[in-house]
Amino acid sequence: MAVESEDRSARLREWYQPLGISLALVTLASSLIAVPLSAAEQLNLPDGQVTAWVMTIYTLPCAAGLVLTLYHRQPLFLTGNIFVLIFIASLQGRLTFAELAGASLVAGAAVVAITALGLAEHLAQLIPEPVVVGLLAGSTLPFAAGIFTGMGSEPVVIGGAFLAYVLGRKYLEDRVPAIFLAMVIGIAAAVALGRFGTAEGSDGPALPVLTLPVFTWDAVLTATPVMVVLIVLQSNVPSLIFLRGEGYRPPVRLLDYVSGLGTMAASFLGPAGLSLSLPATAMVAGEDAGPHRNRHRAVVLVYAVFLALTPLAVFAAGVAGVLPLELLVAIAGLAVIGILSMALKRMTSGPLTLGPLVAFAVAVSDLTMLGLGPYFWSLAFGVGVSWILEPAGIRELRTKAGELSAGAEGQ
């Protein structure tokens, strides 16, 4: 009996750690829905398109990732790329939803082509990651500023959410994600003060509708290059290196193909980049997720939760209509503060600094030339400045990338 009891306890412990990680990841990922919902408000999307877009972010990646994770028994966490979503939201309606879907479709095709030709390493050499991080910091900054802009009109609701976020980071980060706590307190304050809307434009549950992608040079040149870089360099490459560092042998080319083809397929429901997530991969593939052989269980649990919650996607538009827009924007801003902090540190830590800072400044600006907006020029000017003024830094980045790849392959 004692032996059986010990075995049962051991089996429970093997599930306890993946369960804890999966719960933290579910609450964090759920909170990030504020980003696309705030963008949906800016784009004035019909309810059916909001439902479809939410499914591209959660349901489709979970379905594809679940198959890969169970087959390879590795923690392969596919998501709708949060960096791509932040980028889309930061455009603030400059491109239509159909144009963004077209740019996303082209981006998926480009990822497939890059994978087939083995060009990921060459892309990394051509477009240095610190420049991309500078663009990301510039596109994220308005979200953080939006927290305090909205606080002027909703001091109690947004102030309460912000205070909950700060205190959550200070005292509860190991148990409850601070962004989740901020969302709960913000909603509670909105309810108490009667700030909820009535979702007048919503007819209740809305079935997903297809979006016919529209292809324009403005959208393709503005959004597609950024999406490709965010999917390949910002997400897949570092996530795969991390997995190798933890002793896994992920199916690299297959994952890249799934990212590209999945992005293409998802574009008919809404613009989204399917990719691995480095922050999530670090959670589910690290030591905190339990014994090495069981870490994929955390991913399976997260996928199971979101697939089970898929029917709730039909209410997403109603949620966006009921919650105060200022609160949605503030929660989206709080959700990306960590990303902004990471980006600012990486863009100023070298070996490239001028190119990333130029990319950051252009991304924050309202520059428009030749019909193209600031994000295209952010990438163009940032890369150009680094290649002209920081060649030694680019060589150093190449050396580091080669050492990382060699080290990962050797493990």
Side-chain angles (χ1 to χ4, degrees), residues 102-161:
S104 175
L105 185 61
V106 176
V111 172
V112 171
I114 288 168
T115 303
L117 298 173
L119 295 178
E121 183 179 346
H122 297 287
L123 181 65
Q125 293 179 359
L126 179 64
I127 304 177
E129 190 202 15
V131 174
V132 181
V133 170
L135 186 158
L136 185 64
S139 65
T140 306
L141 183 62
F143 286 92
I147 301 170
F148 307 101
T149 301
M151 196 179 292
S153 57
E154 292 288 351
V156 176
V157 174
I158 298 177

Side-chain angles (χ1 to χ4, degrees), residues 80-89 104 136 226-228 230-231 271-273:
N81 191 297
I82 184 59
F83 299 112
V84 170
L85 294 174
I86 292 169
F87 170 68
I88 290 171
S104 175
L136 185 64
V226 178
M227 290 180 179
V228 170
L230 292 177
I231 291 170

Side-chain angles (χ1 to χ4, degrees), residues 287-359:
E287 293 182 359
D288 289 344
H292 188 273
R293 68 182 183 280
N294 295 331
R295 292 176 191 173
H296 67 285
R297 293 178 178 177
V299 180
V300 172
L301 289 170
V302 174
Y303 285 154
V305 169
F306 282 117
L307 289 174
L309 293 177
T310 292
L312 297 181
V314 299
F315 298 101
V319 171
V322 169
L323 291 177
L325 178 59
E326 294 87 355
L327 178 59
L328 269 180
V329 172
I331 295 299
L334 291 171
V336 302
I337 276 184
I339 295 171
L340 175 60
S341 174
M342 173 275 295
L344 290 173
K345 288 178 182 177
R346 288 172 64 178
M347 66 181 277
T348 56
S349 62
L352 303 182
T353 55
L354 289 177
L357 285 171
V358 167

